[in-house]
Amino acid sequence: MRKNLFYILVSILVFTNISAADGRFIHRNSINNMYYFSGNVDTNGQMAWKKIDGAAKDVALTADGQMICIGMDDAIWYSSGIDANGKANWKKQNGTAATHVAARGNKFMHRNSANYMYVFSGKPDANGQMAWKQIDGAAKSIAIASDGQMMCVGMDDAIYYSSGVDANGKANWKKQNGTAATHVAIGGSNKFMHRNSNSNMYYFSGKPDANGQMAWKQIDGAAKNIALMGDGQILVVGAEASGPLYYSSGLDANGKPNWKGQPGT
């Protein structure tokens, strides 16, 4: 975050990836350990993070606690949730190799090293496997909503929006005019967020207009990574070298977030 807006939070480990879904939060650090929090922040805006088993290069979770991650072997791993001891029942997804994952509701998405995108909707089978289907397009960053809306950063660095995938796996991608982004996030079905190469953050709430365009507004702060919930809560990795986490309960009437630094693990 910009020094004139936020204090610097000193942490031992740099946070590199985050995900959030309606009361559940997950992050991984620079040595690929994963940490989980479920519930409301305390009166000081802090979260009691707990380490979970496994190591990952990227992580995503849903509101009911389902998780997918990219393991150190580049395969996708799925868990239906975490038990009382912080154990996740990870199931390796056969034949997968990915670089980025996204999840919301019972919809899951990933992209591979060639930037191709794949989606799965529903519950895994009895063996914990998902029947992934390739969709059209190529992307550097991806996000999906529980109702199937999608957003991605295209190979031209512009943001593209889709209202969903048809029966033939086609997404009606609409290029967002004047955008250039490095990361995108969707919270619920009608909240959207992105950051650009300067770590500036932009937010949109509502439905795109008749031309599929969103009226983006810049919000305070700077971040390396962003996550957004359906009720507007935001979790970001700050732009400082130490990469601390910051949490906001939402935006006020003037579009200002109430950032709270999160202690390192």
Side-chain angles (χ1 to χ4, degrees):
M1 300 292 176
R2 296 188 182 100
K3 290 183 181 179
N4 62 338
L5 294 174
F6 307 103
Y7 63 88
I8 298 295
L9 174 67
V10 178
S11 61
I12 298 173
L13 299 175
V14 177
F15 299 108
T16 59
N17 177 241
I18 51 177
S19 180
D22 297 352
R24 299 177 192 272
F25 305 83
I26 193 169
H27 75 261
R28 58 173 282 273
N29 61 22
S30 59
I31 58 174
N32 302 306
N33 295 323
M34 291 180 284
Y35 297 83
Y36 180 90
F37 172 75
S38 177
N40 295 316
V41 296
D42 66 22
T43 55
N44 296 314
Q46 302 299 308
M47 301 173 181
W49 295 99
K50 292 183 179 180
K51 185 178 179 183
I52 62 173
D53 59 316
K57 297 180 179 180
D58 193 27
V59 293
L61 85 168
T62 67
D64 62 0
Q66 297 178 86
M67 300 180 293
I68 54 173
C69 75
I70 299 173
M72 303 310 294
D73 56 358
D74 293 328
I76 295 174
W77 294 73
Y78 166 81
S79 171
S80 60
I82 297 173
D83 66 21
N85 299 312
K87 297 291 185 181
N89 57 339
W90 294 113
K91 297 287 186 180
K92 185 175 181 177
Q93 299 295 297
N94 297 332
T96 58
T99 56
H100 184 51
V101 289
R104 185 71 62 171
N106 284 320
K107 297 188 182 294
F108 304 85
M109 192 174 183
H110 77 263
R111 60 177 280 274
N112 63 18
S113 59
N115 301 307
Y116 297 135
M117 295 177 283
Y118 298 80
V119 296
F120 171 74
S121 180
K123 290 284 189 179
D125 65 22
N127 297 313
Q129 298 297 306
M130 300 174 176
W132 296 98
K133 292 183 179 180
Q134 186 176 351
I135 63 172
D136 59 314
K140 298 179 180 180
S141 178
I142 55 173
I144 191 167
S146 58
D147 63 359
Q149 293 182 88
M150 298 179 295
M151 191 163 61
C152 74
V153 178
M155 302 309 295
D156 58 356
D157 295 329
I159 295 172
Y160 289 79
Y161 165 81
S162 169
S163 59
V165 178
D166 67 21
N168 298 313
K170 297 291 185 181
N172 57 338
W173 294 114
K174 298 287 186 180
K175 185 175 182 177
Q176 298 296 296
N177 297 332
T179 58
T182 57
H183 186 71
V184 289
I186 299 178
S189 60
N190 292 312
K191 295 183 186 297
F192 306 85
M193 198 170 174
H194 76 265
R195 61 172 288 273
N196 63 18
S197 59
N198 294 322
S199 301
N200 297 322
M201 294 179 284
Y202 297 82
Y203 183 92
F204 172 74
S205 178
K207 289 284 190 181
D209 66 21
N211 297 313
Q213 298 298 306
M214 301 175 182
W216 295 101
K217 293 184 179 180
Q218 186 174 352
I219 64 172
D220 285 348
K224 296 176 182 177
N225 204 329
I226 54 176
L228 179 64
M229 288 173 52
D231 62 359
Q233 295 180 80
I234 308 170
L235 187 69
V236 304
V237 178
E240 302 96 321
S242 57
L245 292 176
Y246 290 88
Y247 164 81
S248 173
S249 59
L251 303 181
D252 66 19
N254 298 312
K256 300 286 186 181
N258 57 339
W259 296 117
K260 299 287 185 181
Q262 300 295 305
T265 53

